Amino acid sequence: GGDMNSYCDALMEVAERPPVTMVSGSGSWLVDHNGKRYLDFVQGWAVNCLGHAPAIIAQAAAQQASKLISCSPAYYNEPMLKLANLLSELSGLDKVFFANCGAEANEGAIKLARKYGEKYRGGAYEIITLENSFHGRTLATMSASGKPQWKNLFEPKVPGFVKVPINDIVAIDNAIGPNTIAVMLEPTQGEAGVIIPPTGYFSRVRDLCTARKVTLILDEIQTGLGRTGKLLAEQHEGIEADVTLIGKALSGGFYPVSAVLSNAEVLGVLKPG
């Protein structure tokens, strides 16, 4: 009720929002403050894998909230251990680091690669990413992204990212130099418009990274957890990244959670402090 526009003034305008307030949702539908129903194609920006307010998630959340919500990362907690073991088992990767969102998972992978470069590769820090890619909205992940609209935003950005065109193995090979520590890309470019590289591209990228001793990071925030028909999109080509990032569907939209999955060698460089 009342004047919607003045009521919304306290919120910073970061998106063009329609002048309605959503109050409830069920499955594919949202309901606004006037009781009008909308078929929702956004689903939390590709997050709600089970739709709005699924009973199974509401129930799990209520049960857990009555026991323990957050005991800080200073301690182990039971759901964290269960999920880490399940993800490790399903992905074939050894170690799991949890974060809050896709950008944080990407940021974690960047730090991980740089730490590895510092420890084992004489300070190598450069990461090769693709043009039109999207890895998040923190300063480092915007710098990693190849989104043309972001070219001159929030300068100076974080240095150390080299952009190459998609579907060009030679370009990746040529971009690898003494400072290169990783190649980071999305199996399907989401934000760029659902761009799917031809079959064989990722196997060739994997082979190249292995041959040139470069870490392969796959950002499966949008493609992971069954969205391409397999648990991870990388499994279509039978490859395994050194570091795989998942988010979005991981929490079904209820709670912000993402994960960095890694082989022990790479994630082993991180120690307390």
Side-chain angles (χ1 to χ4, degrees), residues 21 34 58 65 68 76 89 92 114 145 159 166 168 180-181 183-184 190 200 202 214 216 224 226 229 239 246 256 271:
T21 303
N34 295 315
L68 180 67
Y76 290 116
E89 196 182 303
R114 288 188 171 185
S145 299
I166 194 168
D168 192 335
T180 308
I181 193 58
V183 172
M184 179 160 94
F202 287 103
V214 168
L216 174 60
I239 64 160
I246 54 173
K271 297 282 181 274

Side-chain angles (χ1 to χ4, degrees), residues 15-150:
E16 296 256 345
R17 296 183 174 108
V20 292
T21 303
M22 299 305 176
V23 294
S24 66
S26 177
S28 301
W29 297 86
L30 275 173
V31 181
D32 74 9
H33 65 296
N34 295 315
K36 185 173 178 180
R37 295 173 81 236
Y38 303 83
L39 184 57
D40 179 23
F41 288 94
V42 180
Q43 288 294 342
W45 269 338
V47 170
N48 308 342
C49 57
L50 302 177
H52 293 287
I56 190 169
I57 291 184
Q59 203 178 344
Q63 278 174 357
Q64 185 61 41
S66 65
K67 282 165 66 177
L68 180 67
I69 293 180
S70 173
C71 66
S72 114
Y75 310 108
Y76 290 116
N77 69 67
E78 196 180 15
M80 174 203 266
L81 292 172
K82 274 186 177 169
L83 182 57
N85 278 284
L86 181 64
L87 291 173
S88 171
E89 196 182 303
L90 291 172
S91 67
L93 289 163
D94 309 293
K95 299 265 182 192
V96 180
F97 168 77
F98 290 115
N100 295 297
C101 65
E104 269 190 34
N106 274 277
E107 188 98 12
I110 292 164
K111 287 179 181 171
L112 197 52
R114 288 188 171 185
K115 182 77 178 171
Y116 190 79
E118 192 184 298
K119 197 164 177 179
Y120 296 118
R121 299 290 299 281
Y125 64 93
E126 277 183 359
I127 297 177
I128 297 166
T129 60
L130 298 184
E131 288 167 8
N132 299 308
S133 59
F134 179 86
H135 296 289
R137 290 185 170 84
T138 64
L139 262 182
T141 56
M142 285 182 84
S143 308
S145 299
K147 201 173 155 77
Q149 300 93 309
W150 286 356

Side-chain angles (χ1 to χ4, degrees), residues 83-99 105 108-109 112 215-218 220-221 224-225 231-232 234-235 240-247 250 258-264 266-267:
L83 182 57
N85 278 284
L86 181 64
L87 291 173
S88 171
E89 196 182 303
L90 291 172
S91 67
L93 289 163
D94 309 293
K95 299 265 182 192
V96 180
F97 168 77
F98 290 115
L112 197 52
T215 300
L216 174 60
I217 302 168
L218 284 188
E220 293 233 26
I221 306 294
L225 305 176
L231 183 81
L232 298 170
E234 64 176 40
Q235 292 168 346
E240 201 174 87
D242 300 298
V243 180
T244 295
L245 312 175
I246 54 173
L250 187 56
S258 61
V260 180
L261 313 177
S262 168
N263 59 31
V266 178
L267 210 53

Side-chain angles (χ1 to χ4, degrees), residues 134-205:
F134 179 86
H135 296 289
R137 290 185 170 84
T138 64
L139 262 182
T141 56
M142 285 182 84
S143 308
S145 299
K147 201 173 155 77
Q149 300 93 309
W150 286 356
K151 208 165 175 55
N152 301 309
L153 263 185
F154 309 129
E155 296 297 326
K157 288 206 193 66
V158 178
F161 297 97
V162 178
K163 311 285 189 313
V164 300
I166 194 168
N167 299 338
D168 192 335
I169 300 290
V170 176
I172 297 177
D173 197 18
N174 290 342
I176 295 173
N179 282 324
T180 308
I181 193 58
V183 172
M184 179 160 94
L185 32 81
E186 305 156 273
T188 293
Q189 290 191 330
E191 188 103 350
V194 191
I195 310 298
I196 307 170
T199 306
Y201 176 68
F202 287 103
S203 309
R204 291 170 71 198
V205 173

